[in-house]
Amino acid sequence: MKGPELVDSRSRFRFIESCIGLIGCWFISYAIWTPRWLNDRGLWSSENQTNVDESWTSGDITKALEAERVFAMVAFLMSVSSGMLCLMFALCWTSQTVRSYSNTRSLLMAGQALDPTTLLLFTLVPTGFFFFLSWALFTHQHIGEIRDDITRLGSSYWLGVVGWALLLAVLPVVFLAEKFVVPEVLPDLMKSADMWWNAPEVAYARSFSEGCNRSEHKSHHGFKRYMSVP
């Protein structure tokens, strides 16, 4: 672990987006597993289904609770994996990491799909979306209580709001700002790949490998001709 690199605009945006994602994932994970949503009841509380709207049937309540908890569990698992990805890009990824030949070739083959900030967007936005579904179901299920007294809402509920807002609203805005400010990375990667491919030691290794392949092919062909002679 080398620590954050903040030498240019690309690395600074990567660090900012990683921090936003990490904070959002932490808030979502905290909100999912703590009970302070509404009157000290949370997503996993057995009292979660009390005092709901009278128009709800027992079947509707059961389905809503199941969906609410399934979405919350999916969001938690995604927040853990996405948080680890944020830590890696914030602390371990440098401007030289992407210059290695294997990474450069992968980026050129896949366009910008493997760019760190694009990967963060593709993983963090679904994380926030799944948690938002769970949060929305909980809010809709208890909308009557919330309207009666909004002060019943606890810290877990509001931290969850901040979490999905960071991932669904703030992160895409920062990502779009990065695309307007930071120059395109693919032309530099193509130049790096061409320089690597045309380097003397690489050219020598490539010619040596091609010569070995030709000699092996000739030897194999001669051996087949020798074995075919009666």
Side-chain angles (χ1 to χ4, degrees), residues 16-109:
I16 291 172
E17 292 174 42
S18 299
C19 291
I20 292 173
L22 189 61
I23 295 172
C25 289
W26 165 250
F27 283 172
I28 286 176
S29 300
Y30 177 84
I32 289 173
W33 293 108
T34 51
R36 291 181 290 276
W37 281 62
L38 180 66
N39 293 333
D40 291 329
R41 301 197 311 269
L43 296 177
W44 311 100
S45 174
S46 59
E47 300 177 355
N48 192 0
Q49 56 182 335
T50 61
N51 298 327
V52 297
D53 196 322
E54 295 179 356
S55 62
W56 286 56
T57 64
S58 59
D60 294 335
I61 295 174
T62 302
K63 291 179 181 179
L65 284 174
E66 291 177 353
E68 180 182 303
R69 292 169 180 175
V70 167
F71 288 138
M73 181 56 67
V74 173
F76 172 74
L77 295 176
M78 293 185 67
S79 67
V80 172
S81 58
S82 300
M84 295 176 65
L85 193 65
C86 291
L87 282 175
M88 184 192 72
F89 285 142
L91 302 179
C92 302
W93 195 272
T94 66
S95 59
Q96 298 304 316
T97 304
V98 76
R99 299 295 178 181
S100 66
Y101 173 66
S102 59
N103 286 338
T104 301
R105 182 174 59 180
S106 299
L107 281 168
L108 292 177
M109 292 175 62

Side-chain angles (χ1 to χ4, degrees), residues 160-173:
V161 173
V162 176
W164 66 253
L166 285 174
L167 301 186
L168 291 180
V170 178
L171 181 67
V173 170

Side-chain angles (χ1 to χ4, degrees), residues 5-21 89-90 115-118 120 170-183:
E5 181 190 66
L6 305 173
V7 296
D8 55 13
S9 58
R10 180 174 290 110
S11 61
R12 286 190 287 269
F13 270 105
R14 183 178 65 245
F15 182 75
I16 291 172
E17 292 174 42
S18 299
C19 291
I20 292 173
F89 285 142
D115 184 70
T117 55
T118 307
L120 288 177
V170 178
L171 181 67
V173 170
V174 177
F175 178 80
L176 292 176
E178 178 200 5
K179 295 308 172 187
F180 282 107
V181 174
V182 178

